[in-house]
Amino acid sequence: MSDLTAHDLTDLIRAIDRAITAARDELNALDSALGDGDHGTALSIAFADAADKVGQLETPTPSAVLQVTSQSLLNRMGGASGALYGSLFLRAAVAVKDRPALTHDDLKAMWQAALAGIVQRGKAQVGDKTMIDALHPAVQAFSDAASLPDSFAQAARAAQEGAESTSVMVARHGRARFTGERAIGHVDAGARSVAVMFAAMNSYWQEGHPDEA
Ligand code: ADP
Ligand code: MG
């Protein structure tokens, strides 16, 4: 099985950009129920910027692609989740520094570091109705799978289930923490965007690398 190159990662960022743009209105609607309704728009602007900038890298490395993406999220997204998504990709970039291409083990370590970074920054735990409810099970599933294609597939499934699980939760972080019991019955916007991101990576991986499944 081949490792993930900077070229692959660039394509993954572009695939995430397309999926987030397609989900923009849905993400805004989810954020409208419990927040200020900007999550889809903010995220799609940031990923469009990232997709543009990663294509302009003169000497792309996996770490550089992730670093540029984190800058777009930090600079163009704003708000609570811009800093959180930015720190996710920044930690990922640091975790794979100097690697010319990423092995399955590199990717497992990368996601673990990224999750640790976002938890350290946002202080949310599973059950608090945030993006962590999708990200934590996704990273766990990614680490538990035996092959790279399985990791992408299982992580996408776990992220989707994790996002759906937020529907019964009361929010403890972000703007949604003021909504109390009213949050019940609504999926968290950030958890849903994490699920969209993992679904996009899985589709790209399965379609782009059909021989390696
Ligand atoms: P803002 O609340 O600044 O408008 P967004 O609408 O872009 O930011 O993102 C809201 C999402 O951010 C929430 O749905 C939730 O998933 C996530 N979020 C908020 N606070 C935290 C936190 N402390 N830790 C993890 N995720 C958080
Ligand atoms: Mg918002």
Side-chain angles (χ1 to χ4, degrees), residues 142-166:
F142 194 98
S143 289
D144 289 347
S147 71
L148 199 45
D150 279 355
S151 275
F152 278 108
Q154 297 303 323
R157 191 185 47 75
Q160 173 61 26
E161 286 173 9
E164 282 165 15
S165 78
T166 62

Side-chain angles (χ1 to χ4, degrees), residues 31 35-39 81 175:
D31 192 33
D36 56 357
D38 67 344
H39 188 61
S81 68
R175 296 176 201 278

Side-chain angles (χ1 to χ4, degrees), residues 30-142:
L30 291 175
D31 192 33
S32 293
L34 304 176
D36 56 357
D38 67 344
H39 188 61
T41 298
L43 204 51
S44 64
I45 288 171
F47 268 110
D49 188 58
D52 187 34
K53 297 231 165 83
V54 293
Q56 294 172 20
L57 277 169
E58 279 183 17
T59 47
T61 62
S63 187
V65 170
L66 295 164
Q67 161 84 29
V68 162
T69 302
S70 85
Q71 286 305 316
S72 293
L73 289 160
L74 284 167
N75 296 337
R76 302 300 295 273
M77 196 171 172
S81 68
L84 292 166
Y85 258 112
S87 70
L88 176 85
F89 280 90
L90 186 58
R91 286 296 188 101
V94 171
V96 301
K97 203 167 178 305
D98 302 327
R99 291 271 197 280
L102 308 183
T103 65
H104 192 197
D105 282 346
D106 288 337
L107 286 161
K108 289 180 190 179
M110 182 196 89
W111 281 121
Q112 297 282 359
L115 173 65
I118 202 168
V119 168
Q120 189 181 35
R121 185 162 194 123
K123 308 275 187 278
Q125 296 177 346
V126 169
D128 288 350
K129 199 178 182 99
T130 70
M131 54 178 84
I132 300 302
D133 289 303
L135 189 61
H136 189 283
V139 171
Q140 189 71 50
F142 194 98

